[in-house]
Amino acid sequence: MRVLVTGGAGYIGSHAVRALTRAGHQPLVLDNLVYGHADIVRDVLGVPLVNGQVGNPDVLQPLLKGTHPDLVGSVFEAKTIEAVLHFAAYAYVGESVADPAKYYRNNLGDTLTLLEALVGGDHPIPIVFSSTCATYGPPQSIPMTEGHPQAPINPYGRSKWMVEHLLRDFCKAYGLPSVIFRYFNAAGADPDGDLGEDHDPETHLIPRVLDVMSGRESYLQIFGDDYPTPDGTCIRDYIHVSDLADAHVLGLERLLRLRERNELPNEPLIYNLGNGTGYSVQQVIEAAKSVTGRGLLAHVAKRREGDPAQLVASAERARVELGWRPRYPELHTIIDHAWRWHQRRHLS
Ligand code: UFG
């Protein structure tokens, strides 16, 4: 199947491109390359890449129809796109507080343009959307199920939550089939070591720990050690990025099966993606020490605004309905794969 992957040059999108290819699908990447990496798409994934903004109909429409000049000679030429995986978004919580317009324009406004394009033809084109546990806001109960109340506390989380509403409304009004995945903490890297996380700036815990262990940074800040958790540091549910990617293929295939059987519900399919096990910042550091055999200098700093003490998923629904089984649930494996990638990308 011909699948448009927006944000396919980014961290999670690039792993999804690989999962799609391995499952026999044909991905086409649309990315504005603000944070994405063209070299990964061209040299590692070997799939067509179009540099452009999701919210630009002059790029989007010809891509969906196969008439974009960059598609000449490819399998996409003169062929319509059959499904979309929509990863393209900005995802820095702090920046979203400082510059909300940037987040609503890109994450919400551009997605509206995309959804209008998807329902503008003879048949709506199914979409799988990257949402986040940040749409829940502070947890009222752990583990968090899909039914947990949603009360996002920052513009990033709100931009994703609003798109969830768009998808509900577009499903009811125009019959747009959709899957919403709410990710917990994406981490790790493809086991082959040639795809992984490469953000600039990097804010995520595991790559920052590895930056210190490899000497790229001099010390780690631990944001708060006075949380109501066993060791006082925040607990998160780290999920391997390749497992996230696999879930997208399963979600898309389920959507299409339901459509074939005329059994599509009149609302999006919604799934949490996490392992259901939480690890504290301190436990992540200890695991990284044992994986890399290296130490690190860490200082306790004050709490980072908006960090809940604990976020742990119930991903039971994805297991039952999609048959999703994370292949790499162990924190050691997740860090080991991240370390392999880190060494190859940054230290060679
Ligand atoms: N942390 C540190 N030091 C660091 C970096 C992180 O102590 O240098 C801590 C954070 O305070 C947090 C934990 O490590 O307790 C994990 O932090 P990350 O930044 O890796 O991940 P978050 O849980 O903040 O963010 C993730 C996603 C976001 C999403 C958010 C929802 O990456 O996109 O979950 O809460 F918005």
Side-chain angles (χ1 to χ4, degrees):
M1 152 167 317
R2 292 177 300 278
V3 183
L4 177 66
V5 183
T6 76
Y11 174 42
I12 304 175
S14 61
H15 288 78
V17 167
R18 175 161 286 171
L20 283 168
T21 307
R22 289 195 173 148
H25 300 294
Q26 293 158 329
L28 162 64
V29 172
L30 170 62
D31 200 296
N32 65 9
L33 299 177
V34 170
Y35 293 115
H37 303 282
D39 62 315
I40 293 289
V41 181
R42 296 203 179 106
D43 308 340
V44 179
L45 297 168
V47 306
L49 164 68
V50 174
N51 179 357
Q53 193 69 27
V54 173
N56 181 353
D58 295 340
V59 176
L60 193 58
Q61 295 287 0
L63 276 187
L64 293 175
K65 291 186 193 130
T67 55
H68 191 283
D70 289 4
L71 303 181
V72 172
S74 78
V75 291
F76 298 95
E77 183 177 358
K79 300 265 173 50
T80 53
I81 289 292
E82 294 161 284
V84 174
L85 301 193
H86 182 37
F87 295 93
Y90 295 143
Y92 291 106
V93 171
E95 185 186 54
S96 80
V97 175
D99 190 3
K102 177 173 175 179
Y103 278 70
Y104 290 121
R105 166 61 47 215
N106 189 65
N107 297 2
L108 180 63
D110 280 14
T111 302
L112 174 58
T113 305
L114 172 65
L115 299 190
E116 286 181 292
L118 297 186
V119 299
D122 298 337
H123 305 286
I125 301 172
I127 177 170
V128 178
F129 174 63
S130 301
S131 190
T132 163
C133 62
T135 60
Y136 291 123
Q140 296 180 4
S141 53
I142 295 281
M144 302 168 88
T145 64
E146 291 82 356
H148 188 285
Q150 289 181 290
I153 57 166
N154 54 60
Y156 165 67
R158 276 192 285 275
S159 69
K160 292 284 184 175
W161 174 73
M162 289 174 187
V163 171
E164 291 196 8
H165 282 292
L166 294 188
L167 288 168
R168 281 198 188 89
D169 292 340
F170 271 60
C171 183
K172 285 206 176 72
Y174 313 118
L176 177 66
S178 60
V179 179
I180 294 170
F181 283 123
R182 296 186 187 140
Y183 310 149
F184 282 65
N185 284 58
D190 189 283
D192 288 354
D194 55 353
L195 293 180
E197 193 165 10
D198 187 3
H199 295 120
D200 185 15
E202 186 54 78
T203 61
H204 292 129
L205 178 63
I206 292 175
R208 281 176 85 150
V209 166
L210 299 180
D211 275 341
V212 179
M213 288 182 165
S214 65
R216 294 180 80 228
E217 297 290 340
S218 48
Y219 66 94
L220 179 81
Q221 288 187 304
I222 297 175
F223 297 133
D225 68 349
D226 55 353
Y227 284 97
T229 60
D231 65 22
T233 63
C234 285
I235 292 176
R236 293 288 180 274
D237 184 341
Y238 295 90
I239 176 75
H240 196 293
V241 63
S242 298
D243 289 328
L244 284 186
D246 290 347
H248 288 70
V249 177
L250 294 172
L252 177 60
E253 290 174 349
R254 175 168 166 84
L255 201 58
L256 300 173
R257 259 196 323 275
L258 289 174
R259 187 177 64 176
E260 254 167 47
R261 294 195 217 126
N262 245 335
E263 289 173 5
L264 274 177
N266 72 341
E267 58 188 11
L269 307 176
I270 302 178
Y271 302 101
N272 281 340
L273 296 178
N275 278 309
T277 310
Y279 293 97
S280 70
V281 172
Q282 207 59 62
Q283 285 175 310
V284 168
I285 293 172
E286 290 310 316
K289 282 183 187 167
S290 110
V291 167
T292 64
R294 301 188 184 193
L296 95 169
L297 185 61
H299 301 309
V300 176
K302 66 177 177 29
R303 290 180 176 196
R304 198 172 61 176
E305 208 183 318
D307 269 347
Q310 209 179 139
L311 288 173
V312 179
S314 162
E316 209 37 42
R317 189 188 283 177
R319 288 175 177 273
V320 172
E321 288 189 14
L322 302 180
W324 180 61
R325 298 281 177 278
R327 285 181 290 156
Y328 311 108
E330 302 294 333
L331 182 62
H332 273 74
T333 314
I334 292 173
I335 296 176
D336 180 40
H337 292 171
W339 180 231
R340 256 187 246 175
W341 156 257
H342 185 92
Q343 288 172 297
R344 183 153 159 176
R345 183 74 167 176
H346 299 301
L347 307 181
S348 55

